[in-house]
Amino acid sequence: MRFGVNYTPTHGWFHHWLDFDLDEIRTDLDSLAFLELDHIRVFPLWPLFQPNRTLIRPRALDQLAHLVDAAGERGLDVAVDGLQGHLSSFDFVPSWTTTWHRRNLFTDPDVTEAQAAYLHALATTLADRPNFLGLTVGNETNQFSAPPHPDPDPLAPPDAERWLRRMLAACEAGAPGRTHLHASYDIAWYDGTHPFTPAHSARLGALTAVHSWVFNGTTQRHGPTGAATALHAAYLVELSKAWADDPTRPVWLQEVGAPAPHVPPDQAPAFTTATVEAVLDCPDVWSITWWCSHDVDRRLADFPELEYGLGLLTNDRHPKPVGRALARCIRESRGTPPPRPREVALALDAGDPTTAPGRTTCAPGGAFFEAWMRLAARGARPAVVLAQRAADAAHLAARGITEVVSP
C-alpha cells in the first residue's frame, strides 16, 4: 500500500515550467516530508513540452528529469502524466490541434503519431531512473471526447480503445516494465453514452485508476457528512473491479480530495480520515494519492473557488489540518494486515459489459449507487460483480466472493 500526493508547485502552479526553478521545487518537496509520503504525481504541460507537432523540447525533458531526480533525493518515487491536457478546469492543448489547425485529438493520424512520439520521449528520458514509477497517458483525457466539454473531439468506444492501446504501447516502448496506465474522470463509470468505458479503465494498462470527487452529485444528495460522501472513493474502487478480467488487478485511487464548500474546511480532516479508512478496507488497492500537495496561489486568477484550497499544505508550505489528518492515517496504516476479501457482492446489470450502456445506474442518485451505499452504511462490505459474471464460480472464488445479491 502506497501513499502519495499530486504535486502542485507553490510558485506559478503548473506554469512553473515556464520559469523552472529547481531550488523552489526542492523546497516544496522538503515541505512534504511531514506527510511521510512515498511518491508524487507530476504534470508536464503538453503545449510547453511539444509546442510543434515535430518539436519536443530537449530542455523541457531535462527539467522534468531534474524534478524526478530531486524527488529521488528525498526518497520519493515519481509518477508522470503525459498529455496535459486538462487540469483544474483549464485545458492545455497545443496550438497545432486548435483553431486553424483543428484536428481530432483521438483519431487524426498526424496528431496521434505526434502524441505517441511525445509519450515515448517522456518515457525514454526517465527510463533509467529507479524512482520513476511510470506514465499515465494523461490527466482525464476522456473529458475532451464528449459533452460537457464545450468543444469535444468525438469518437466511438472502439476508437477510444485503439487510441489508448497505441498510447500505452508508446509508453511501454520507451520505459519497458514500468507502471503505465491511463486515467478517466468518473463520467466513464457513470454515463452510458460516454465513449471511454469502464472496460477500458479496468482492462487496459498496468492497473486501474479512479478519481473520486464528491462534488459530482454525491454531497448534493447526501451532504458533507453523509455515509455516501465518506464511502464514495471506496465505492469507485469496488465498482471498477466489476469490469476487470484479472480478479486481483490493482486499483490506484489516483485523485481524491476534500473540496470546499462541498466538504467544509472544518469537516475536511474527518472526511479525509473516513475516506482513507474506507479505501483501506478494499482489497487490491495499490495507492492513495491525494489532491493536492499545496494550495493554489490566490494571485492566480480564474480558478473555480474550490481549487484554491485543496492543498494538504498552504501555499507558503505550512501543514493544514487536512494534511495532519492524512499524515495520521499514513502512520496508523503501517503494519496493518491487508483487508480480507469482500464476501458479499452486489450484482450490477449495466448492459453489454464492453460498452455498459446502462452505467447511469452507477452514478450518484442511480439505483445501483444508492443500493450499494445503503448496504455499506449498515456496516456491510459489498463488492460489485457484473450480472453476467454472477454465476461464474471461478471468477467469484478468485475474488473471495461467496454470495451475490441483487440491488
PDB file of all heavy atoms in Angstrom, residues 49-74:
ATOM      1  N   PHE A  49       5.951  21.348 -23.657  1.00  0.00           N
ATOM      2  CA  PHE A  49       6.926  20.305 -23.954  1.00  0.00           C
ATOM      3  C   PHE A  49       6.927  19.940 -25.445  1.00  0.00           C
ATOM      4  O   PHE A  49       7.952  19.508 -25.961  1.00  0.00           O
ATOM      5  CB  PHE A  49       6.622  19.056 -23.119  1.00  0.00           C
ATOM      6  CG  PHE A  49       7.169  19.110 -21.720  1.00  0.00           C
ATOM      7  CD1 PHE A  49       6.731  20.068 -20.815  1.00  0.00           C
ATOM      8  CD2 PHE A  49       8.128  18.210 -21.307  1.00  0.00           C
ATOM      9  CE1 PHE A  49       7.225  20.119 -19.521  1.00  0.00           C
ATOM     10  CE2 PHE A  49       8.638  18.249 -20.015  1.00  0.00           C
ATOM     11  CZ  PHE A  49       8.186  19.216 -19.121  1.00  0.00           C
ATOM     12  N   GLN A  50       5.791  20.095 -26.123  1.00  0.00           N
ATOM     13  CA  GLN A  50       5.689  19.766 -27.546  1.00  0.00           C
ATOM     14  C   GLN A  50       4.945  20.910 -28.257  1.00  0.00           C
ATOM     15  O   GLN A  50       3.818  20.749 -28.705  1.00  0.00           O
ATOM     16  CB  GLN A  50       4.956  18.433 -27.745  1.00  0.00           C
ATOM     17  CG  GLN A  50       5.070  17.871 -29.163  1.00  0.00           C
ATOM     18  CD  GLN A  50       4.324  16.547 -29.310  1.00  0.00           C
ATOM     19  OE1 GLN A  50       3.372  16.264 -28.591  1.00  0.00           O
ATOM     20  NE2 GLN A  50       4.756  15.719 -30.257  1.00  0.00           N
ATOM     21  N   PRO A  51       5.578  22.071 -28.395  1.00  0.00           N
ATOM     22  CA  PRO A  51       4.882  23.240 -28.949  1.00  0.00           C
ATOM     23  C   PRO A  51       4.593  23.142 -30.438  1.00  0.00           C
ATOM     24  O   PRO A  51       3.732  23.869 -30.952  1.00  0.00           O
ATOM     25  CB  PRO A  51       5.833  24.397 -28.649  1.00  0.00           C
ATOM     26  CG  PRO A  51       7.182  23.741 -28.566  1.00  0.00           C
ATOM     27  CD  PRO A  51       6.944  22.400 -27.969  1.00  0.00           C
ATOM     28  N   ASN A  52       5.300  22.266 -31.122  1.00  0.00           N
ATOM     29  CA  ASN A  52       5.047  21.995 -32.529  1.00  0.00           C
ATOM     30  C   ASN A  52       4.943  20.486 -32.692  1.00  0.00           C
ATOM     31  O   ASN A  52       5.550  19.731 -31.925  1.00  0.00           O
ATOM     32  CB  ASN A  52       6.174  22.551 -33.402  1.00  0.00           C
ATOM     33  CG  ASN A  52       5.924  22.357 -34.887  1.00  0.00           C
ATOM     34  OD1 ASN A  52       6.273  21.316 -35.436  1.00  0.00           O
ATOM     35  ND2 ASN A  52       5.317  23.343 -35.528  1.00  0.00           N
ATOM     36  N   ARG A  53       4.176  20.065 -33.685  1.00  0.00           N
ATOM     37  CA  ARG A  53       3.928  18.636 -33.835  1.00  0.00           C
ATOM     38  C   ARG A  53       5.224  17.829 -33.952  1.00  0.00           C
ATOM     39  O   ARG A  53       5.285  16.664 -33.514  1.00  0.00           O
ATOM     40  CB  ARG A  53       3.027  18.402 -35.059  1.00  0.00           C
ATOM     41  CG  ARG A  53       2.608  16.961 -35.253  1.00  0.00           C
ATOM     42  CD  ARG A  53       1.428  16.852 -36.210  1.00  0.00           C
ATOM     43  NE  ARG A  53       1.709  17.388 -37.529  1.00  0.00           N
ATOM     44  CZ  ARG A  53       2.302  16.714 -38.515  1.00  0.00           C
ATOM     45  NH1 ARG A  53       2.695  15.457 -38.312  1.00  0.00           N
ATOM     46  NH2 ARG A  53       2.494  17.265 -39.693  1.00  0.00           N
ATOM     47  N   THR A  54       6.256  18.420 -34.516  1.00  0.00           N
ATOM     48  CA  THR A  54       7.516  17.691 -34.701  1.00  0.00           C
ATOM     49  C   THR A  54       8.642  18.232 -33.822  1.00  0.00           C
ATOM     50  O   THR A  54       9.817  17.952 -34.087  1.00  0.00           O
ATOM     51  CB  THR A  54       7.943  17.747 -36.177  1.00  0.00           C
ATOM     52  OG1 THR A  54       8.062  19.112 -36.593  1.00  0.00           O
ATOM     53  CG2 THR A  54       6.931  17.034 -37.055  1.00  0.00           C
ATOM     54  N   LEU A  55       8.279  18.990 -32.777  1.00  0.00           N
ATOM     55  CA  LEU A  55       9.293  19.529 -31.863  1.00  0.00           C
ATOM     56  C   LEU A  55       8.954  19.148 -30.430  1.00  0.00           C
ATOM     57  O   LEU A  55       7.955  19.603 -29.875  1.00  0.00           O
ATOM     58  CB  LEU A  55       9.366  21.058 -31.979  1.00  0.00           C
ATOM     59  CG  LEU A  55      10.258  21.754 -30.942  1.00  0.00           C
ATOM     60  CD1 LEU A  55      11.711  21.313 -31.075  1.00  0.00           C
ATOM     61  CD2 LEU A  55      10.131  23.277 -31.052  1.00  0.00           C
ATOM     62  N   ILE A  56       9.778  18.309 -29.828  1.00  0.00           N
ATOM     63  CA  ILE A  56       9.717  18.007 -28.404  1.00  0.00           C
ATOM     64  C   ILE A  56      10.958  18.646 -27.783  1.00  0.00           C
ATOM     65  O   ILE A  56      12.085  18.290 -28.135  1.00  0.00           O
ATOM     66  CB  ILE A  56       9.687  16.492 -28.156  1.00  0.00           C
ATOM     67  CG1 ILE A  56       8.465  15.866 -28.829  1.00  0.00           C
ATOM     68  CG2 ILE A  56       9.689  16.191 -26.652  1.00  0.00           C
ATOM     69  CD1 ILE A  56       8.513  14.355 -28.902  1.00  0.00           C
ATOM     70  N   ARG A  57      10.762  19.602 -26.897  1.00  0.00           N
ATOM     71  CA  ARG A  57      11.858  20.445 -26.436  1.00  0.00           C
ATOM     72  C   ARG A  57      12.817  19.685 -25.515  1.00  0.00           C
ATOM     73  O   ARG A  57      12.425  19.242 -24.432  1.00  0.00           O
ATOM     74  CB  ARG A  57      11.307  21.665 -25.707  1.00  0.00           C
ATOM     75  CG  ARG A  57      10.505  22.608 -26.584  1.00  0.00           C
ATOM     76  CD  ARG A  57       9.904  23.761 -25.797  1.00  0.00           C
ATOM     77  NE  ARG A  57      10.908  24.431 -24.995  1.00  0.00           N
ATOM     78  CZ  ARG A  57      10.857  24.500 -23.661  1.00  0.00           C
ATOM     79  NH1 ARG A  57       9.864  23.929 -23.005  1.00  0.00           N
ATOM     80  NH2 ARG A  57      11.805  25.146 -22.997  1.00  0.00           N
ATOM     81  N   PRO A  58      14.076  19.546 -25.893  1.00  0.00           N
ATOM     82  CA  PRO A  58      15.039  18.843 -25.041  1.00  0.00           C
ATOM     83  C   PRO A  58      15.185  19.475 -23.659  1.00  0.00           C
ATOM     84  O   PRO A  58      15.324  18.764 -22.663  1.00  0.00           O
ATOM     85  CB  PRO A  58      16.349  18.920 -25.845  1.00  0.00           C
ATOM     86  CG  PRO A  58      15.908  19.092 -27.260  1.00  0.00           C
ATOM     87  CD  PRO A  58      14.672  19.924 -27.196  1.00  0.00           C
ATOM     88  N   ARG A  59      15.154  20.811 -23.586  1.00  0.00           N
ATOM     89  CA  ARG A  59      15.320  21.463 -22.291  1.00  0.00           C
ATOM     90  C   ARG A  59      14.155  21.123 -21.357  1.00  0.00           C
ATOM     91  O   ARG A  59      14.347  20.938 -20.157  1.00  0.00           O
ATOM     92  CB  ARG A  59      15.448  22.974 -22.451  1.00  0.00           C
ATOM     93  CG  ARG A  59      15.657  23.695 -21.121  1.00  0.00           C
ATOM     94  CD  ARG A  59      15.953  25.162 -21.291  1.00  0.00           C
ATOM     95  NE  ARG A  59      17.229  25.369 -21.972  1.00  0.00           N
ATOM     96  CZ  ARG A  59      17.749  26.572 -22.225  1.00  0.00           C
ATOM     97  NH1 ARG A  59      17.090  27.665 -21.872  1.00  0.00           N
ATOM     98  NH2 ARG A  59      18.915  26.690 -22.831  1.00  0.00           N
ATOM     99  N   ALA A  60      12.960  21.041 -21.907  1.00  0.00           N
ATOM    100  CA  ALA A  60      11.814  20.676 -21.079  1.00  0.00           C
ATOM    101  C   ALA A  60      11.974  19.258 -20.531  1.00  0.00           C
ATOM    102  O   ALA A  60      11.689  18.997 -19.353  1.00  0.00           O
ATOM    103  CB  ALA A  60      10.527  20.799 -21.891  1.00  0.00           C
ATOM    104  N   LEU A  61      12.426  18.341 -21.375  1.00  0.00           N
ATOM    105  CA  LEU A  61      12.667  16.976 -20.912  1.00  0.00           C
ATOM    106  C   LEU A  61      13.735  16.955 -19.819  1.00  0.00           C
ATOM    107  O   LEU A  61      13.613  16.218 -18.825  1.00  0.00           O
ATOM    108  CB  LEU A  61      13.085  16.091 -22.081  1.00  0.00           C
ATOM    109  CG  LEU A  61      12.055  15.890 -23.192  1.00  0.00           C
ATOM    110  CD1 LEU A  61      12.670  15.069 -24.323  1.00  0.00           C
ATOM    111  CD2 LEU A  61      10.796  15.209 -22.662  1.00  0.00           C
ATOM    112  N   ASP A  62      14.777  17.762 -19.974  1.00  0.00           N
ATOM    113  CA  ASP A  62      15.824  17.838 -18.955  1.00  0.00           C
ATOM    114  C   ASP A  62      15.256  18.366 -17.633  1.00  0.00           C
ATOM    115  O   ASP A  62      15.617  17.878 -16.548  1.00  0.00           O
ATOM    116  CB  ASP A  62      16.956  18.748 -19.422  1.00  0.00           C
ATOM    117  CG  ASP A  62      17.805  18.138 -20.527  1.00  0.00           C
ATOM    118  OD1 ASP A  62      17.726  16.905 -20.730  1.00  0.00           O
ATOM    119  OD2 ASP A  62      18.544  18.891 -21.196  1.00  0.00           O
ATOM    120  N   GLN A  63      14.377  19.370 -17.704  1.00  0.00           N
ATOM    121  CA  GLN A  63      13.787  19.914 -16.486  1.00  0.00           C
ATOM    122  C   GLN A  63      12.963  18.862 -15.753  1.00  0.00           C
ATOM    123  O   GLN A  63      13.032  18.742 -14.531  1.00  0.00           O
ATOM    124  CB  GLN A  63      12.927  21.129 -16.840  1.00  0.00           C
ATOM    125  CG  GLN A  63      13.735  22.345 -17.274  1.00  0.00           C
ATOM    126  CD  GLN A  63      12.863  23.465 -17.821  1.00  0.00           C
ATOM    127  OE1 GLN A  63      11.713  23.244 -18.210  1.00  0.00           O
ATOM    128  NE2 GLN A  63      13.415  24.674 -17.858  1.00  0.00           N
ATOM    129  N   LEU A  64      12.199  18.100 -16.509  1.00  0.00           N
ATOM    130  CA  LEU A  64      11.423  17.020 -15.896  1.00  0.00           C
ATOM    131  C   LEU A  64      12.353  16.018 -15.217  1.00  0.00           C
ATOM    132  O   LEU A  64      12.086  15.568 -14.090  1.00  0.00           O
ATOM    133  CB  LEU A  64      10.570  16.327 -16.955  1.00  0.00           C
ATOM    134  CG  LEU A  64       9.770  15.111 -16.487  1.00  0.00           C
ATOM    135  CD1 LEU A  64       8.780  15.478 -15.390  1.00  0.00           C
ATOM    136  CD2 LEU A  64       9.048  14.462 -17.668  1.00  0.00           C
ATOM    137  N   ALA A  65      13.439  15.669 -15.885  1.00  0.00           N
ATOM    138  CA  ALA A  65      14.395  14.726 -15.296  1.00  0.00           C
ATOM    139  C   ALA A  65      14.988  15.287 -14.007  1.00  0.00           C
ATOM    140  O   ALA A  65      15.179  14.555 -13.019  1.00  0.00           O
ATOM    141  CB  ALA A  65      15.495  14.404 -16.304  1.00  0.00           C
ATOM    142  N   HIS A  66      15.298  16.584 -13.986  1.00  0.00           N
ATOM    143  CA  HIS A  66      15.835  17.201 -12.769  1.00  0.00           C
ATOM    144  C   HIS A  66      14.813  17.128 -11.628  1.00  0.00           C
ATOM    145  O   HIS A  66      15.171  16.891 -10.480  1.00  0.00           O
ATOM    146  CB  HIS A  66      16.218  18.656 -13.037  1.00  0.00           C
ATOM    147  CG  HIS A  66      17.403  18.820 -13.923  1.00  0.00           C
ATOM    148  ND1 HIS A  66      18.522  18.013 -13.839  1.00  0.00           N
ATOM    149  CD2 HIS A  66      17.661  19.716 -14.919  1.00  0.00           C
ATOM    150  CE1 HIS A  66      19.420  18.388 -14.744  1.00  0.00           C
ATOM    151  NE2 HIS A  66      18.919  19.424 -15.417  1.00  0.00           N
ATOM    152  N   LEU A  67      13.536  17.343 -11.945  1.00  0.00           N
ATOM    153  CA  LEU A  67      12.496  17.252 -10.914  1.00  0.00           C
ATOM    154  C   LEU A  67      12.432  15.827 -10.353  1.00  0.00           C
ATOM    155  O   LEU A  67      12.358  15.630  -9.135  1.00  0.00           O
ATOM    156  CB  LEU A  67      11.149  17.678 -11.492  1.00  0.00           C
ATOM    157  CG  LEU A  67       9.977  17.854 -10.526  1.00  0.00           C
ATOM    158  CD1 LEU A  67       8.905  18.759 -11.138  1.00  0.00           C
ATOM    159  CD2 LEU A  67       9.328  16.543 -10.125  1.00  0.00           C
ATOM    160  N   VAL A  68      12.461  14.842 -11.241  1.00  0.00           N
ATOM    161  CA  VAL A  68      12.406  13.448 -10.798  1.00  0.00           C
ATOM    162  C   VAL A  68      13.618  13.120  -9.927  1.00  0.00           C
ATOM    163  O   VAL A  68      13.498  12.448  -8.893  1.00  0.00           O
ATOM    164  CB  VAL A  68      12.313  12.513 -12.019  1.00  0.00           C
ATOM    165  CG1 VAL A  68      12.439  11.051 -11.593  1.00  0.00           C
ATOM    166  CG2 VAL A  68      10.989  12.729 -12.752  1.00  0.00           C
ATOM    167  N   ASP A  69      14.789  13.625 -10.311  1.00  0.00           N
ATOM    168  CA  ASP A  69      15.988  13.377  -9.510  1.00  0.00           C
ATOM    169  C   ASP A  69      15.878  14.043  -8.141  1.00  0.00           C
ATOM    170  O   ASP A  69      16.273  13.457  -7.123  1.00  0.00           O
ATOM    171  CB  ASP A  69      17.222  13.898 -10.244  1.00  0.00           C
ATOM    172  CG  ASP A  69      17.586  13.052 -11.458  1.00  0.00           C
ATOM    173  OD1 ASP A  69      17.113  11.899 -11.541  1.00  0.00           O
ATOM    174  OD2 ASP A  69      18.321  13.554 -12.322  1.00  0.00           O
ATOM    175  N   ALA A  70      15.344  15.269  -8.107  1.00  0.00           N
ATOM    176  CA  ALA A  70      15.186  15.962  -6.826  1.00  0.00           C
ATOM    177  C   ALA A  70      14.241  15.194  -5.912  1.00  0.00           C
ATOM    178  O   ALA A  70      14.465  15.105  -4.692  1.00  0.00           O
ATOM    179  CB  ALA A  70      14.666  17.384  -7.059  1.00  0.00           C
ATOM    180  N   ALA A  71      13.190  14.636  -6.475  1.00  0.00           N
ATOM    181  CA  ALA A  71      12.283  13.812  -5.672  1.00  0.00           C
ATOM    182  C   ALA A  71      12.996  12.568  -5.153  1.00  0.00           C
ATOM    183  O   ALA A  71      12.842  12.185  -3.983  1.00  0.00           O
ATOM    184  CB  ALA A  71      11.064  13.425  -6.498  1.00  0.00           C
ATOM    185  N   GLY A  72      13.778  11.929  -6.009  1.00  0.00           N
ATOM    186  CA  GLY A  72      14.502  10.741  -5.600  1.00  0.00           C
ATOM    187  C   GLY A  72      15.462  11.011  -4.459  1.00  0.00           C
ATOM    188  O   GLY A  72      15.641  10.165  -3.562  1.00  0.00           O
ATOM    189  N   GLU A  73      16.086  12.183  -4.459  1.00  0.00           N
ATOM    190  CA  GLU A  73      16.986  12.553  -3.363  1.00  0.00           C
ATOM    191  C   GLU A  73      16.249  12.633  -2.035  1.00  0.00           C
ATOM    192  O   GLU A  73      16.874  12.556  -0.967  1.00  0.00           O
ATOM    193  CB  GLU A  73      17.648  13.897  -3.676  1.00  0.00           C
ATOM    194  CG  GLU A  73      18.618  13.839  -4.848  1.00  0.00           C
ATOM    195  CD  GLU A  73      18.952  15.221  -5.397  1.00  0.00           C
ATOM    196  OE1 GLU A  73      18.451  16.221  -4.815  1.00  0.00           O
ATOM    197  OE2 GLU A  73      19.701  15.309  -6.384  1.00  0.00           O
ATOM    198  N   ARG A  74      14.955  12.794  -2.078  1.00  0.00           N
ATOM    199  CA  ARG A  74      14.130  12.898  -0.871  1.00  0.00           C
ATOM    200  C   ARG A  74      13.318  11.634  -0.618  1.00  0.00           C
ATOM    201  O   ARG A  74      12.362  11.645   0.160  1.00  0.00           O
ATOM    202  CB  ARG A  74      13.221  14.122  -1.004  1.00  0.00           C
ATOM    203  CG  ARG A  74      14.011  15.414  -0.850  1.00  0.00           C
ATOM    204  CD  ARG A  74      13.446  16.570  -1.642  1.00  0.00           C
ATOM    205  NE  ARG A  74      14.292  17.744  -1.437  1.00  0.00           N
ATOM    206  CZ  ARG A  74      15.439  17.965  -2.112  1.00  0.00           C
ATOM    207  NH1 ARG A  74      15.839  17.097  -3.033  1.00  0.00           N
ATOM    208  NH2 ARG A  74      16.164  19.038  -1.866  1.00  0.00           N
TER     209      ARG A  74
END
